[in-house]
Amino acid sequence: MIFDRQLENQLMLEVLDPDDSMRYAYYSRNLEFIGLAKPLESCLTEDPIQVMLSGKVDPMRKSEAALRGAPFAESFALA
């Protein structure tokens, strides 16, 4: 989740996986802005400006289908 915050905890993650080489390179360059929250929803003390899902193609396709089929799908944008 991405929040409009001054410095730390702008990007909140549930897990920071060093074995995820594609994403970890970005994360390691931006550690000062990243916070961890487990479960992730525990960081929802204010409205995020973005909720981002990332992962392998098949799980992301399933996530997209679930979000597009949600009864509240008209209340958010999905890219």
Side-chain angles (χ1 to χ4, degrees), residues 1 5 11 26 28 38 40 48 62 64-65 68 72-73 76:
M1 293 193 200
R5 296 178 176 161
L11 173 61
Y26 168 81
S28 64
K38 195 164 189 168
L40 186 58
K62 290 176 183 171
E64 178 186 12
R68 290 196 188 280
F72 52 89
F76 63 87

Side-chain angles (χ1 to χ4, degrees), residues 20-50:
D20 185 349
S21 61
M22 221 167 81
R23 289 167 196 81
Y24 194 75
Y26 168 81
Y27 296 152
S28 64
R29 289 190 307 272
N30 294 284
L31 286 175
E32 65 186 304
F33 305 106
I34 297 173
L36 297 176
K38 195 164 189 168
L40 186 58
E41 58 266 29
S42 69
C43 75
L44 288 172
T45 58
E46 64 201 82
D47 289 338
I49 56 174
Q50 180 181 14

Side-chain angles (χ1 to χ4, degrees), residues 1 11-15 17 20 22-24 26-27 40 50-61 63-64 67 79:
M1 293 193 200
L11 173 61
M12 296 297 295
L13 304 172
E14 192 168 58
V15 176
D17 183 3
D20 185 349
M22 221 167 81
R23 289 167 196 81
Y24 194 75
Y26 168 81
Y27 296 152
L40 186 58
Q50 180 181 14
V51 176
M52 175 176 34
L53 304 175
S54 65
K56 297 192 184 247
V57 173
D58 189 52
M60 291 300 98
R61 284 187 177 141
S63 296
E64 178 186 12
L67 288 168

